Amino acid sequence: MQLASWERFFEAEAQRDVSIAYFVGAEPALAQERLFAAADYFPYGKVGTNGTVRIDPALPYRIGVSLWASDDMLDKRLRGGSAFRKALRNYAGDPRAIVLFTVSSWTVDQVPKIAEICADHNLPLTFNIYSPTQTFNRKLAEAKPNDSAFFRVSSVQESPRFDDEALDRMRRAMNDAIDKFPDTVVYSKYYNDYICQPGSRYALDPDTGIAQDCQSRILDPMRYYDVSLNQNPVKCCTPDVDCSTCRMYGGGWSSQFMPRAKDVADIHAFSSWIDSLETLEKIMLYSARDHQPMA
């Protein structure tokens, strides 16, 4: 699509009072002219990237660097290449960047090492939690063989999904990282204790299994557009994810905006809830007003 089409789209969304643009998908760093076009219309933005292509230092948006594993062997197994090492070279010390480590049952024990690496490279760190899709769960249930696309390394005997024991191990590892690396880890113990509890984190529709109280649902006035700028009526931005086991940071954090009964049960809970929202601000927002591009 021509850049002019994107510019018209961004202008229309800005007129709809959209204030933050969130670019995720294949690799937004490969279409940086679109990111700069968005910056003309939206005061805030976040770009999800694997970090292997450096985004122009002049772009005044938060950059979320996706991380799956700390060691080269597992990184290559999961992603086909050692993305993390390249990302460290590209973004060390960049004030726009924050590392988003998607923790799975395979990588829980890497949390301390990753926090140490990020501290050494002057990069803040936050966490996402691996959440399987319905397609993935179906392939495991049917004992499907591995393929060359999106089911390359898992099996019935070994997969990155969490059981209750692994959830608790992850919760403790993340809380320990907050304590040991307070200047590096951008996360909330209050949120962490909630999202790592066993069982579904949402109220599910008994007929469809779709989360009814997830604030990441694409409901008016939220809209979902694909790369062709077509509006799609999907349930959320990751429509194949299994809501019953979803702990993705997008849905989990956005659902914090509306306080629940537990969040206002007492002054400690309310204070912790406010702290979690301030943590989310640090994860998502980067002020263009204070942006000083690195060389």
Side-chain angles (χ1 to χ4, degrees):
M1 298 196 52
Q2 297 297 315
L3 184 59
S5 298
W6 287 88
E7 291 172 340
R8 288 192 296 269
F9 170 73
F10 294 146
E11 182 180 18
E13 288 298 285
Q15 291 175 354
R16 203 168 63 87
D17 293 329
V18 173
S19 59
I20 181 171
Y22 192 11
F23 296 95
V24 292
E27 181 48 67
L30 299 179
Q32 296 190 31
E33 70 282 358
R34 299 176 189 175
L35 302 178
F36 276 98
D40 290 335
Y41 295 98
F42 307 117
Y44 295 101
K46 186 174 184 183
V47 183
T49 176
N50 65 19
T52 58
V53 175
R54 190 185 186 201
I55 294 175
D56 192 311
L59 185 75
Y61 279 171
R62 171 65 89 196
I63 298 174
V65 180
S66 173
L67 167 63
W68 291 5
S70 65
D71 64 287
D72 287 343
M73 183 177 297
L74 185 55
D75 204 12
K76 290 177 180 178
R77 183 185 181 207
L78 296 177
R79 309 192 83 160
S82 184
F84 187 37
R85 299 298 166 181
K86 295 178 182 177
L88 290 175
R89 291 195 296 269
N90 284 333
Y91 289 104
D94 191 324
R96 303 170 301 170
I98 183 168
V99 173
L100 175 63
F101 177 29
T102 296
V103 187
S104 72
S105 63
W106 288 344
T107 58
V108 171
D109 295 333
Q110 295 186 358
V111 169
K113 180 63 176 177
I114 287 172
E116 181 181 355
I117 292 172
C118 288
D120 290 343
H121 288 79
N122 193 21
L123 281 169
L125 167 69
T126 192
F127 301 109
N128 183 35
I129 299 176
Y130 171 75
S131 300
T133 63
Q134 297 175 83
T135 300
F136 181 84
N137 287 337
R138 184 169 62 251
K139 288 184 176 183
L140 284 182
E142 297 174 357
K144 294 287 187 181
N146 290 143
D147 54 41
S148 59
F150 302 107
F151 192 67
R152 298 179 295 106
V153 295
S154 294
S155 67
V156 175
Q157 294 76 27
E158 183 183 14
S159 83
R161 296 188 301 185
F162 287 95
D163 58 20
D164 291 352
E165 184 277 330
L167 277 174
D168 184 62
R169 200 154 45 93
M170 177 173 60
R171 181 189 61 80
R172 288 184 280 109
M174 290 178 178
N175 282 343
D176 286 346
I178 294 171
D179 290 335
K180 293 178 181 178
F181 297 92
D183 296 328
T184 297
V185 176
V186 184
Y187 212 53
S188 159
K189 286 187 177 181
Y190 189 67
Y191 174 78
N192 186 42
D193 290 343
Y194 158 73
I195 203 68
C196 290
Q197 291 177 29
S200 176
R201 298 294 78 210
Y202 304 102
L204 306 177
D205 184 297
D207 296 322
T208 65
I210 294 177
Q212 298 300 291
D213 56 345
C214 173
Q215 298 303 312
S216 192
R217 294 285 308 281
I218 307 299
L219 302 171
D220 190 67
M222 291 180 66
R223 297 177 183 175
Y224 177 93
Y225 296 92
D226 61 24
V227 74
S228 300
L229 300 183
N230 293 317
Q231 186 177 347
N232 290 343
V234 293
K235 70 174 183 179
C236 67
C237 61
T238 49
D240 193 30
V241 73
D242 187 336
C243 292
S244 68
T245 54
C246 181
R247 290 179 169 80
M248 296 179 69
Y249 94 127
W253 275 114
S254 63
S255 297
Q256 292 291 102
F257 287 136
M258 298 292 291
R260 306 180 188 191
K262 70 178 184 64
D263 300 322
V264 293
D266 53 50
I267 189 64
H268 174 73
F270 184 68
S271 176
S272 297
W273 174 70
I274 293 294
D275 176 70
S276 72
L277 293 186
E278 291 176 344
T279 300
L280 179 59
E281 177 186 7
K282 296 174 184 177
I283 294 171
M284 296 297 297
L285 299 185
Y286 176 78
S287 174
R289 295 172 302 178
D290 303 323
H291 181 51
Q292 298 292 328
M294 296 178 64

